[in-house]
Amino acid sequence: MENVNQEFTPMPRIGDKAPEFKAVTTQGEINFPSDYQGSWVILFSHPADFTPVCTSEFMTFANMEKKFNEANCKLVGLSVDGLYSHIAWLRTIKEKIEYKGMKNIEVTFPLIEDITMNVAKKYGMMMPGESSTKAVRAVFFIDPKGIIRAIIYYPLSLGRNFDELYRALIAMQAADAFNIATPADWRPGDDAIVPTAGSCGTAKERMENQKDIKCHDWFFCTKPLSKEAVEKAIFKK
Ligand code: BEZ
């Protein structure tokens, strides 16, 4: 039976168009995702300003922002706090916090104020079983055409691994550029998985006739993909 007390908001899924919204941020107003057309964008939520895990995450992400930008990816943060809280928190981070060798960290990417929770609800960032007043740690990877390509969720107490977010971004970009898939723990320079069309033995033989392709079985073939080729495609060197 339907529970009338439970608000139901459908969550966006991989392959969906990123839901549109206008928002006020620490860098002015944004129209999402249209302002980001042509770039990858990582839209991520954090539970609250002036909290320790979030502070460590913001310092880490801001410290890596140049790397993400060089891979044609922009960062946009969100929490259900107001603009003045965001400004005060980011100022405190810059002026006072020294952590793991990082200091004077200036967060220059936009941080959305979402006191109405409209955006957080649209993106399925509110998970009442975890918290009804704070967004969970959600990460949406959105491609240059505005399509959601990957979604990762973490609970309130667990800080994210930003090297993994970068690895996932580069792996998706490599998959697009070379029409490949990436195996477990793939990093640039590792072999890539080639799509296997057709059936069983014949597909394996066909694949093995192509230079450099190694088939572990008919459904699992890999080929070398150099780090240089990946970097050339992604960083447009
Ligand atoms: C934190 O960022 O430290 C945090 C935020 C909300 C709940 C628990 C931890």
Side-chain angles (χ1 to χ4, degrees), residues 71-109:
N72 189 31
C73 180
K74 297 187 172 145
L75 310 179
V76 179
L78 174 150
S79 82
V80 300
D81 298 292
L83 185 63
Y84 295 107
S85 166
H86 284 344
I87 291 169
W89 178 47
L90 299 186
R91 187 183 298 149
T92 304
I93 288 176
K94 177 163 164 36
E95 291 175 358
K96 295 195 179 154
I97 310 286
E98 188 171 345
Y99 173 70
K100 280 197 166 175
M102 295 180 278
K103 66 178 197 179
N104 290 119
I105 296 292
E106 190 162 0
V107 175
T108 54
F109 55 80

PDB file of all heavy atoms in Angstrom, residues 71-109:
ATOM      1  N   ALA A  71      41.516  18.046 -17.562  1.00  0.00           N
ATOM      2  CA  ALA A  71      40.822  16.924 -18.226  1.00  0.00           C
ATOM      3  C   ALA A  71      39.418  17.356 -18.670  1.00  0.00           C
ATOM      4  O   ALA A  71      38.524  16.518 -18.802  1.00  0.00           O
ATOM      5  CB  ALA A  71      40.749  15.728 -17.286  1.00  0.00           C
ATOM      6  N   ASN A  72      39.255  18.659 -18.907  1.00  0.00           N
ATOM      7  CA  ASN A  72      37.971  19.213 -19.384  1.00  0.00           C
ATOM      8  C   ASN A  72      36.817  18.883 -18.436  1.00  0.00           C
ATOM      9  O   ASN A  72      35.726  18.520 -18.862  1.00  0.00           O
ATOM     10  CB  ASN A  72      37.658  18.713 -20.812  1.00  0.00           C
ATOM     11  CG  ASN A  72      36.471  19.433 -21.421  1.00  0.00           C
ATOM     12  OD1 ASN A  72      36.225  20.604 -21.113  1.00  0.00           O
ATOM     13  ND2 ASN A  72      35.715  18.750 -22.268  1.00  0.00           N
ATOM     14  N   CYS A  73      37.071  18.988 -17.148  1.00  0.00           N
ATOM     15  CA  CYS A  73      36.015  18.701 -16.170  1.00  0.00           C
ATOM     16  C   CYS A  73      35.939  19.815 -15.135  1.00  0.00           C
ATOM     17  O   CYS A  73      36.952  20.186 -14.534  1.00  0.00           O
ATOM     18  CB  CYS A  73      36.311  17.369 -15.475  1.00  0.00           C
ATOM     19  SG  CYS A  73      35.064  16.939 -14.254  1.00  0.00           S
ATOM     20  N   LYS A  74      34.717  20.345 -14.957  1.00  0.00           N
ATOM     21  CA  LYS A  74      34.499  21.404 -13.960  1.00  0.00           C
ATOM     22  C   LYS A  74      33.843  20.811 -12.716  1.00  0.00           C
ATOM     23  O   LYS A  74      33.175  19.776 -12.805  1.00  0.00           O
ATOM     24  CB  LYS A  74      33.635  22.493 -14.565  1.00  0.00           C
ATOM     25  CG  LYS A  74      34.364  23.148 -15.741  1.00  0.00           C
ATOM     26  CD  LYS A  74      33.660  24.327 -16.291  1.00  0.00           C
ATOM     27  CE  LYS A  74      34.568  25.006 -17.316  1.00  0.00           C
ATOM     28  NZ  LYS A  74      33.823  25.567 -18.413  1.00  0.00           N
ATOM     29  N   LEU A  75      34.026  21.467 -11.599  1.00  0.00           N
ATOM     30  CA  LEU A  75      33.493  20.989 -10.322  1.00  0.00           C
ATOM     31  C   LEU A  75      32.398  21.932  -9.841  1.00  0.00           C
ATOM     32  O   LEU A  75      32.534  23.155  -9.947  1.00  0.00           O
ATOM     33  CB  LEU A  75      34.606  20.939  -9.267  1.00  0.00           C
ATOM     34  CG  LEU A  75      35.901  20.222  -9.668  1.00  0.00           C
ATOM     35  CD1 LEU A  75      36.909  20.290  -8.522  1.00  0.00           C
ATOM     36  CD2 LEU A  75      35.623  18.781 -10.054  1.00  0.00           C
ATOM     37  N   VAL A  76      31.320  21.354  -9.313  1.00  0.00           N
ATOM     38  CA  VAL A  76      30.235  22.149  -8.707  1.00  0.00           C
ATOM     39  C   VAL A  76      29.800  21.434  -7.431  1.00  0.00           C
ATOM     40  O   VAL A  76      29.392  20.269  -7.469  1.00  0.00           O
ATOM     41  CB  VAL A  76      29.029  22.279  -9.670  1.00  0.00           C
ATOM     42  CG1 VAL A  76      27.921  23.093  -9.006  1.00  0.00           C
ATOM     43  CG2 VAL A  76      29.428  22.918 -10.997  1.00  0.00           C
ATOM     44  N   GLY A  77      29.890  22.143  -6.299  1.00  0.00           N
ATOM     45  CA  GLY A  77      29.479  21.559  -5.019  1.00  0.00           C
ATOM     46  C   GLY A  77      28.093  22.030  -4.616  1.00  0.00           C
ATOM     47  O   GLY A  77      27.556  22.999  -5.179  1.00  0.00           O
ATOM     48  N   LEU A  78      27.519  21.359  -3.656  1.00  0.00           N
ATOM     49  CA  LEU A  78      26.180  21.723  -3.154  1.00  0.00           C
ATOM     50  C   LEU A  78      26.027  21.233  -1.721  1.00  0.00           C
ATOM     51  O   LEU A  78      26.466  20.139  -1.375  1.00  0.00           O
ATOM     52  CB  LEU A  78      25.102  21.047  -4.021  1.00  0.00           C
ATOM     53  CG  LEU A  78      23.635  21.174  -3.579  1.00  0.00           C
ATOM     54  CD1 LEU A  78      22.716  21.137  -4.798  1.00  0.00           C
ATOM     55  CD2 LEU A  78      23.203  20.109  -2.579  1.00  0.00           C
ATOM     56  N   SER A  79      25.410  22.088  -0.889  1.00  0.00           N
ATOM     57  CA  SER A  79      24.853  21.572   0.371  1.00  0.00           C
ATOM     58  C   SER A  79      23.597  22.366   0.651  1.00  0.00           C
ATOM     59  O   SER A  79      23.334  23.396   0.008  1.00  0.00           O
ATOM     60  CB  SER A  79      25.842  21.668   1.542  1.00  0.00           C
ATOM     61  OG  SER A  79      25.816  22.964   2.088  1.00  0.00           O
ATOM     62  N   VAL A  80      22.823  21.895   1.623  1.00  0.00           N
ATOM     63  CA  VAL A  80      21.548  22.573   1.909  1.00  0.00           C
ATOM     64  C   VAL A  80      21.745  23.736   2.883  1.00  0.00           C
ATOM     65  O   VAL A  80      20.803  24.174   3.531  1.00  0.00           O
ATOM     66  CB  VAL A  80      20.458  21.577   2.386  1.00  0.00           C
ATOM     67  CG1 VAL A  80      20.205  20.531   1.313  1.00  0.00           C
ATOM     68  CG2 VAL A  80      20.837  20.921   3.698  1.00  0.00           C
ATOM     69  N   ASP A  81      22.967  24.239   2.965  1.00  0.00           N
ATOM     70  CA  ASP A  81      23.249  25.453   3.744  1.00  0.00           C
ATOM     71  C   ASP A  81      23.015  26.681   2.859  1.00  0.00           C
ATOM     72  O   ASP A  81      22.912  26.576   1.640  1.00  0.00           O
ATOM     73  CB  ASP A  81      24.709  25.452   4.215  1.00  0.00           C
ATOM     74  CG  ASP A  81      24.995  24.282   5.138  1.00  0.00           C
ATOM     75  OD1 ASP A  81      24.469  24.275   6.260  1.00  0.00           O
ATOM     76  OD2 ASP A  81      25.733  23.376   4.723  1.00  0.00           O
ATOM     77  N   GLY A  82      23.000  27.856   3.505  1.00  0.00           N
ATOM     78  CA  GLY A  82      22.801  29.110   2.779  1.00  0.00           C
ATOM     79  C   GLY A  82      24.119  29.696   2.283  1.00  0.00           C
ATOM     80  O   GLY A  82      25.211  29.271   2.683  1.00  0.00           O
ATOM     81  N   LEU A  83      23.984  30.716   1.441  1.00  0.00           N
ATOM     82  CA  LEU A  83      25.155  31.330   0.804  1.00  0.00           C
ATOM     83  C   LEU A  83      26.133  31.918   1.825  1.00  0.00           C
ATOM     84  O   LEU A  83      27.348  31.752   1.692  1.00  0.00           O
ATOM     85  CB  LEU A  83      24.676  32.415  -0.169  1.00  0.00           C
ATOM     86  CG  LEU A  83      25.755  33.077  -1.001  1.00  0.00           C
ATOM     87  CD1 LEU A  83      26.436  32.070  -1.927  1.00  0.00           C
ATOM     88  CD2 LEU A  83      25.170  34.221  -1.824  1.00  0.00           C
ATOM     89  N   TYR A  84      25.605  32.599   2.863  1.00  0.00           N
ATOM     90  CA  TYR A  84      26.525  33.265   3.803  1.00  0.00           C
ATOM     91  C   TYR A  84      27.292  32.249   4.641  1.00  0.00           C
ATOM     92  O   TYR A  84      28.449  32.466   4.998  1.00  0.00           O
ATOM     93  CB  TYR A  84      25.777  34.300   4.653  1.00  0.00           C
ATOM     94  CG  TYR A  84      25.264  35.405   3.751  1.00  0.00           C
ATOM     95  CD1 TYR A  84      23.915  35.523   3.451  1.00  0.00           C
ATOM     96  CD2 TYR A  84      26.166  36.267   3.123  1.00  0.00           C
ATOM     97  CE1 TYR A  84      23.469  36.493   2.564  1.00  0.00           C
ATOM     98  CE2 TYR A  84      25.723  37.237   2.229  1.00  0.00           C
ATOM     99  CZ  TYR A  84      24.379  37.345   1.956  1.00  0.00           C
ATOM    100  OH  TYR A  84      23.955  38.283   1.069  1.00  0.00           O
ATOM    101  N   SER A  85      26.657  31.118   4.922  1.00  0.00           N
ATOM    102  CA  SER A  85      27.363  30.027   5.600  1.00  0.00           C
ATOM    103  C   SER A  85      28.488  29.506   4.692  1.00  0.00           C
ATOM    104  O   SER A  85      29.628  29.314   5.131  1.00  0.00           O
ATOM    105  CB  SER A  85      26.371  28.907   5.934  1.00  0.00           C
ATOM    106  OG  SER A  85      27.064  27.741   6.280  1.00  0.00           O
ATOM    107  N   HIS A  86      28.163  29.286   3.422  1.00  0.00           N
ATOM    108  CA  HIS A  86      29.183  28.799   2.468  1.00  0.00           C
ATOM    109  C   HIS A  86      30.376  29.755   2.434  1.00  0.00           C
ATOM    110  O   HIS A  86      31.536  29.340   2.503  1.00  0.00           O
ATOM    111  CB  HIS A  86      28.605  28.757   1.048  1.00  0.00           C
ATOM    112  CG  HIS A  86      27.672  27.624   0.765  1.00  0.00           C
ATOM    113  ND1 HIS A  86      27.552  26.504   1.540  1.00  0.00           N
ATOM    114  CD2 HIS A  86      26.809  27.443  -0.277  1.00  0.00           C
ATOM    115  CE1 HIS A  86      26.664  25.677   1.003  1.00  0.00           C
ATOM    116  NE2 HIS A  86      26.194  26.235  -0.091  1.00  0.00           N
ATOM    117  N   ILE A  87      30.066  31.064   2.315  1.00  0.00           N
ATOM    118  CA  ILE A  87      31.144  32.060   2.177  1.00  0.00           C
ATOM    119  C   ILE A  87      32.015  32.060   3.439  1.00  0.00           C
ATOM    120  O   ILE A  87      33.248  32.058   3.363  1.00  0.00           O
ATOM    121  CB  ILE A  87      30.551  33.459   1.877  1.00  0.00           C
ATOM    122  CG1 ILE A  87      29.929  33.467   0.467  1.00  0.00           C
ATOM    123  CG2 ILE A  87      31.607  34.551   2.003  1.00  0.00           C
ATOM    124  CD1 ILE A  87      29.079  34.696   0.153  1.00  0.00           C
ATOM    125  N   ALA A  88      31.358  32.035   4.591  1.00  0.00           N
ATOM    126  CA  ALA A  88      32.108  32.070   5.862  1.00  0.00           C
ATOM    127  C   ALA A  88      32.964  30.807   6.026  1.00  0.00           C
ATOM    128  O   ALA A  88      34.121  30.862   6.470  1.00  0.00           O
ATOM    129  CB  ALA A  88      31.135  32.209   7.028  1.00  0.00           C
ATOM    130  N   TRP A  89      32.411  29.657   5.649  1.00  0.00           N
ATOM    131  CA  TRP A  89      33.150  28.386   5.787  1.00  0.00           C
ATOM    132  C   TRP A  89      34.370  28.371   4.850  1.00  0.00           C
ATOM    133  O   TRP A  89      35.485  28.047   5.275  1.00  0.00           O
ATOM    134  CB  TRP A  89      32.194  27.232   5.463  1.00  0.00           C
ATOM    135  CG  TRP A  89      32.805  25.865   5.513  1.00  0.00           C
ATOM    136  CD1 TRP A  89      33.607  25.353   6.491  1.00  0.00           C
ATOM    137  CD2 TRP A  89      32.656  24.833   4.533  1.00  0.00           C
ATOM    138  NE1 TRP A  89      33.951  24.061   6.190  1.00  0.00           N
ATOM    139  CE2 TRP A  89      33.379  23.713   4.996  1.00  0.00           C
ATOM    140  CE3 TRP A  89      31.963  24.729   3.322  1.00  0.00           C
ATOM    141  CZ2 TRP A  89      33.444  22.518   4.270  1.00  0.00           C
ATOM    142  CZ3 TRP A  89      32.018  23.537   2.613  1.00  0.00           C
ATOM    143  CH2 TRP A  89      32.750  22.448   3.081  1.00  0.00           C
ATOM    144  N   LEU A  90      34.150  28.765   3.593  1.00  0.00           N
ATOM    145  CA  LEU A  90      35.268  28.738   2.637  1.00  0.00           C
ATOM    146  C   LEU A  90      36.348  29.750   3.042  1.00  0.00           C
ATOM    147  O   LEU A  90      37.547  29.505   2.859  1.00  0.00           O
ATOM    148  CB  LEU A  90      34.770  28.994   1.203  1.00  0.00           C
ATOM    149  CG  LEU A  90      33.769  27.961   0.656  1.00  0.00           C
ATOM    150  CD1 LEU A  90      33.448  28.230  -0.811  1.00  0.00           C
ATOM    151  CD2 LEU A  90      34.251  26.526   0.822  1.00  0.00           C
ATOM    152  N   ARG A  91      35.915  30.876   3.629  1.00  0.00           N
ATOM    153  CA  ARG A  91      36.905  31.859   4.109  1.00  0.00           C
ATOM    154  C   ARG A  91      37.706  31.270   5.277  1.00  0.00           C
ATOM    155  O   ARG A  91      38.929  31.424   5.346  1.00  0.00           O
ATOM    156  CB  ARG A  91      36.200  33.142   4.526  1.00  0.00           C
ATOM    157  CG  ARG A  91      37.196  34.256   4.863  1.00  0.00           C
ATOM    158  CD  ARG A  91      36.512  35.512   5.335  1.00  0.00           C
ATOM    159  NE  ARG A  91      35.635  36.082   4.323  1.00  0.00           N
ATOM    160  CZ  ARG A  91      34.527  36.771   4.598  1.00  0.00           C
ATOM    161  NH1 ARG A  91      34.138  36.949   5.847  1.00  0.00           N
ATOM    162  NH2 ARG A  91      33.803  37.283   3.633  1.00  0.00           N
ATOM    163  N   THR A  92      37.029  30.568   6.160  1.00  0.00           N
ATOM    164  CA  THR A  92      37.722  29.943   7.296  1.00  0.00           C
ATOM    165  C   THR A  92      38.742  28.911   6.801  1.00  0.00           C
ATOM    166  O   THR A  92      39.876  28.841   7.293  1.00  0.00           O
ATOM    167  CB  THR A  92      36.697  29.256   8.238  1.00  0.00           C
ATOM    168  OG1 THR A  92      35.745  30.232   8.633  1.00  0.00           O
ATOM    169  CG2 THR A  92      37.363  28.663   9.456  1.00  0.00           C
ATOM    170  N   ILE A  93      38.319  28.125   5.810  1.00  0.00           N
ATOM    171  CA  ILE A  93      39.243  27.119   5.245  1.00  0.00           C
ATOM    172  C   ILE A  93      40.499  27.814   4.729  1.00  0.00           C
ATOM    173  O   ILE A  93      41.627  27.416   5.033  1.00  0.00           O
ATOM    174  CB  ILE A  93      38.541  26.313   4.111  1.00  0.00           C
ATOM    175  CG1 ILE A  93      37.499  25.362   4.710  1.00  0.00           C
ATOM    176  CG2 ILE A  93      39.561  25.555   3.269  1.00  0.00           C
ATOM    177  CD1 ILE A  93      36.683  24.579   3.682  1.00  0.00           C
ATOM    178  N   LYS A  94      40.306  28.887   3.979  1.00  0.00           N
ATOM    179  CA  LYS A  94      41.466  29.579   3.371  1.00  0.00           C
ATOM    180  C   LYS A  94      42.351  30.217   4.445  1.00  0.00           C
ATOM    181  O   LYS A  94      43.572  30.121   4.395  1.00  0.00           O
ATOM    182  CB  LYS A  94      40.977  30.649   2.386  1.00  0.00           C
ATOM    183  CG  LYS A  94      42.116  31.444   1.778  1.00  0.00           C
ATOM    184  CD  LYS A  94      41.681  32.185   0.553  1.00  0.00           C
ATOM    185  CE  LYS A  94      42.603  33.278   0.092  1.00  0.00           C
ATOM    186  NZ  LYS A  94      44.020  33.091   0.243  1.00  0.00           N
ATOM    187  N   GLU A  95      41.713  30.834   5.424  1.00  0.00           N
ATOM    188  CA  GLU A  95      42.499  31.644   6.367  1.00  0.00           C
ATOM    189  C   GLU A  95      43.071  30.829   7.529  1.00  0.00           C
ATOM    190  O   GLU A  95      44.093  31.199   8.095  1.00  0.00           O
ATOM    191  CB  GLU A  95      41.631  32.789   6.914  1.00  0.00           C
ATOM    192  CG  GLU A  95      41.345  33.815   5.812  1.00  0.00           C
ATOM    193  CD  GLU A  95      40.398  34.917   6.263  1.00  0.00           C
ATOM    194  OE1 GLU A  95      39.930  34.874   7.415  1.00  0.00           O
ATOM    195  OE2 GLU A  95      40.129  35.808   5.434  1.00  0.00           O
ATOM    196  N   LYS A  96      42.398  29.725   7.886  1.00  0.00           N
ATOM    197  CA  LYS A  96      42.790  29.083   9.146  1.00  0.00           C
ATOM    198  C   LYS A  96      43.197  27.617   9.069  1.00  0.00           C
ATOM    199  O   LYS A  96      43.884  27.134   9.968  1.00  0.00           O
ATOM    200  CB  LYS A  96      41.622  29.179  10.144  1.00  0.00           C
ATOM    201  CG  LYS A  96      41.281  30.573  10.567  1.00  0.00           C
ATOM    202  CD  LYS A  96      40.410  30.518  11.793  1.00  0.00           C
ATOM    203  CE  LYS A  96      40.052  31.899  12.275  1.00  0.00           C
ATOM    204  NZ  LYS A  96      38.797  31.894  13.011  1.00  0.00           N
ATOM    205  N   ILE A  97      42.727  26.894   8.063  1.00  0.00           N
ATOM    206  CA  ILE A  97      42.898  25.438   8.163  1.00  0.00           C
ATOM    207  C   ILE A  97      44.151  24.974   7.423  1.00  0.00           C
ATOM    208  O   ILE A  97      44.333  25.253   6.231  1.00  0.00           O
ATOM    209  CB  ILE A  97      41.671  24.673   7.604  1.00  0.00           C
ATOM    210  CG1 ILE A  97      40.366  25.208   8.192  1.00  0.00           C
ATOM    211  CG2 ILE A  97      41.824  23.166   7.849  1.00  0.00           C
ATOM    212  CD1 ILE A  97      40.064  24.835   9.629  1.00  0.00           C
ATOM    213  N   GLU A  98      44.961  24.239   8.169  1.00  0.00           N
ATOM    214  CA  GLU A  98      46.128  23.578   7.577  1.00  0.00           C
ATOM    215  C   GLU A  98      45.915  22.101   7.814  1.00  0.00           C
ATOM    216  O   GLU A  98      45.669  21.660   8.933  1.00  0.00           O
ATOM    217  CB  GLU A  98      47.399  24.060   8.285  1.00  0.00           C
ATOM    218  CG  GLU A  98      48.632  23.570   7.591  1.00  0.00           C
ATOM    219  CD  GLU A  98      49.906  24.220   8.135  1.00  0.00           C
ATOM    220  OE1 GLU A  98      49.826  25.242   8.854  1.00  0.00           O
ATOM    221  OE2 GLU A  98      50.965  23.666   7.836  1.00  0.00           O
ATOM    222  N   TYR A  99      45.962  21.314   6.726  1.00  0.00           N
ATOM    223  CA  TYR A  99      45.639  19.885   6.867  1.00  0.00           C
ATOM    224  C   TYR A  99      46.419  19.093   5.829  1.00  0.00           C
ATOM    225  O   TYR A  99      46.384  19.428   4.638  1.00  0.00           O
ATOM    226  CB  TYR A  99      44.120  19.692   6.675  1.00  0.00           C
ATOM    227  CG  TYR A  99      43.686  18.254   6.642  1.00  0.00           C
ATOM    228  CD1 TYR A  99      43.721  17.459   7.791  1.00  0.00           C
ATOM    229  CD2 TYR A  99      43.244  17.667   5.454  1.00  0.00           C
ATOM    230  CE1 TYR A  99      43.339  16.137   7.754  1.00  0.00           C
ATOM    231  CE2 TYR A  99      42.850  16.342   5.413  1.00  0.00           C
ATOM    232  CZ  TYR A  99      42.902  15.591   6.565  1.00  0.00           C
ATOM    233  OH  TYR A  99      42.526  14.278   6.519  1.00  0.00           O
ATOM    234  N   LYS A 100      47.147  18.107   6.279  1.00  0.00           N
ATOM    235  CA  LYS A 100      47.928  17.220   5.402  1.00  0.00           C
ATOM    236  C   LYS A 100      48.770  18.007   4.397  1.00  0.00           C
ATOM    237  O   LYS A 100      48.741  17.724   3.184  1.00  0.00           O
ATOM    238  CB  LYS A 100      46.993  16.272   4.641  1.00  0.00           C
ATOM    239  CG  LYS A 100      46.532  15.091   5.482  1.00  0.00           C
ATOM    240  CD  LYS A 100      45.976  14.027   4.564  1.00  0.00           C
ATOM    241  CE  LYS A 100      45.803  12.713   5.267  1.00  0.00           C
ATOM    242  NZ  LYS A 100      45.152  11.707   4.440  1.00  0.00           N
ATOM    243  N   GLY A 101      49.452  19.006   4.873  1.00  0.00           N
ATOM    244  CA  GLY A 101      50.330  19.797   4.008  1.00  0.00           C
ATOM    245  C   GLY A 101      49.600  20.818   3.146  1.00  0.00           C
ATOM    246  O   GLY A 101      50.239  21.578   2.407  1.00  0.00           O
ATOM    247  N   MET A 102      48.264  20.837   3.224  1.00  0.00           N
ATOM    248  CA  MET A 102      47.508  21.823   2.425  1.00  0.00           C
ATOM    249  C   MET A 102      47.190  23.023   3.309  1.00  0.00           C
ATOM    250  O   MET A 102      46.709  22.852   4.431  1.00  0.00           O
ATOM    251  CB  MET A 102      46.177  21.225   1.931  1.00  0.00           C
ATOM    252  CG  MET A 102      46.344  20.073   0.971  1.00  0.00           C
ATOM    253  SD  MET A 102      44.744  19.406   0.415  1.00  0.00           S
ATOM    254  CE  MET A 102      44.288  18.339   1.766  1.00  0.00           C
ATOM    255  N   LYS A 103      47.477  24.227   2.796  1.00  0.00           N
ATOM    256  CA  LYS A 103      47.056  25.426   3.517  1.00  0.00           C
ATOM    257  C   LYS A 103      46.806  26.561   2.531  1.00  0.00           C
ATOM    258  O   LYS A 103      47.193  26.469   1.370  1.00  0.00           O
ATOM    259  CB  LYS A 103      48.055  25.814   4.603  1.00  0.00           C
ATOM    260  CG  LYS A 103      49.413  26.252   4.149  1.00  0.00           C
ATOM    261  CD  LYS A 103      50.211  26.629   5.388  1.00  0.00           C
ATOM    262  CE  LYS A 103      51.400  27.459   5.026  1.00  0.00           C
ATOM    263  NZ  LYS A 103      52.194  27.864   6.147  1.00  0.00           N
ATOM    264  N   ASN A 104      46.133  27.601   2.989  1.00  0.00           N
ATOM    265  CA  ASN A 104      45.707  28.705   2.100  1.00  0.00           C
ATOM    266  C   ASN A 104      44.910  28.185   0.907  1.00  0.00           C
ATOM    267  O   ASN A 104      45.077  28.654  -0.218  1.00  0.00           O
ATOM    268  CB  ASN A 104      46.917  29.479   1.552  1.00  0.00           C
ATOM    269  CG  ASN A 104      47.600  30.278   2.621  1.00  0.00           C
ATOM    270  OD1 ASN A 104      48.775  30.027   2.890  1.00  0.00           O
ATOM    271  ND2 ASN A 104      46.898  31.185   3.247  1.00  0.00           N
ATOM    272  N   ILE A 105      44.102  27.202   1.140  1.00  0.00           N
ATOM    273  CA  ILE A 105      43.349  26.598   0.034  1.00  0.00           C
ATOM    274  C   ILE A 105      42.115  27.448  -0.282  1.00  0.00           C
ATOM    275  O   ILE A 105      41.250  27.652   0.562  1.00  0.00           O
ATOM    276  CB  ILE A 105      42.910  25.151   0.380  1.00  0.00           C
ATOM    277  CG1 ILE A 105      44.133  24.240   0.560  1.00  0.00           C
ATOM    278  CG2 ILE A 105      41.966  24.595  -0.688  1.00  0.00           C
ATOM    279  CD1 ILE A 105      44.939  23.953  -0.686  1.00  0.00           C
ATOM    280  N   GLU A 106      42.096  27.937  -1.523  1.00  0.00           N
ATOM    281  CA  GLU A 106      40.977  28.769  -1.955  1.00  0.00           C
ATOM    282  C   GLU A 106      40.045  27.929  -2.829  1.00  0.00           C
ATOM    283  O   GLU A 106      40.497  27.352  -3.823  1.00  0.00           O
ATOM    284  CB  GLU A 106      41.503  29.973  -2.735  1.00  0.00           C
ATOM    285  CG  GLU A 106      40.416  30.974  -2.986  1.00  0.00           C
ATOM    286  CD  GLU A 106      40.978  32.346  -3.355  1.00  0.00           C
ATOM    287  OE1 GLU A 106      42.222  32.494  -3.414  1.00  0.00           O
ATOM    288  OE2 GLU A 106      40.153  33.236  -3.587  1.00  0.00           O
ATOM    289  N   VAL A 107      38.809  27.834  -2.445  1.00  0.00           N
ATOM    290  CA  VAL A 107      37.837  27.069  -3.246  1.00  0.00           C
ATOM    291  C   VAL A 107      37.247  28.025  -4.273  1.00  0.00           C
ATOM    292  O   VAL A 107      36.483  28.933  -3.927  1.00  0.00           O
ATOM    293  CB  VAL A 107      36.737  26.461  -2.342  1.00  0.00           C
ATOM    294  CG1 VAL A 107      35.661  25.775  -3.183  1.00  0.00           C
ATOM    295  CG2 VAL A 107      37.350  25.482  -1.340  1.00  0.00           C
ATOM    296  N   THR A 108      37.609  27.824  -5.530  1.00  0.00           N
ATOM    297  CA  THR A 108      37.166  28.766  -6.567  1.00  0.00           C
ATOM    298  C   THR A 108      36.055  28.182  -7.437  1.00  0.00           C
ATOM    299  O   THR A 108      35.509  28.873  -8.284  1.00  0.00           O
ATOM    300  CB  THR A 108      38.349  29.207  -7.455  1.00  0.00           C
ATOM    301  OG1 THR A 108      38.978  28.035  -7.955  1.00  0.00           O
ATOM    302  CG2 THR A 108      39.342  30.041  -6.679  1.00  0.00           C
ATOM    303  N   PHE A 109      35.721  26.901  -7.215  1.00  0.00           N
ATOM    304  CA  PHE A 109      34.590  26.353  -7.971  1.00  0.00           C
ATOM    305  C   PHE A 109      33.281  26.716  -7.247  1.00  0.00           C
ATOM    306  O   PHE A 109      33.288  26.966  -6.032  1.00  0.00           O
ATOM    307  CB  PHE A 109      34.730  24.836  -8.198  1.00  0.00           C
ATOM    308  CG  PHE A 109      34.916  24.015  -6.956  1.00  0.00           C
ATOM    309  CD1 PHE A 109      33.839  23.675  -6.162  1.00  0.00           C
ATOM    310  CD2 PHE A 109      36.173  23.550  -6.586  1.00  0.00           C
ATOM    311  CE1 PHE A 109      33.999  22.901  -5.025  1.00  0.00           C
ATOM    312  CE2 PHE A 109      36.350  22.780  -5.447  1.00  0.00           C
ATOM    313  CZ  PHE A 109      35.260  22.458  -4.662  1.00  0.00           C
TER     314      PHE A 109
END
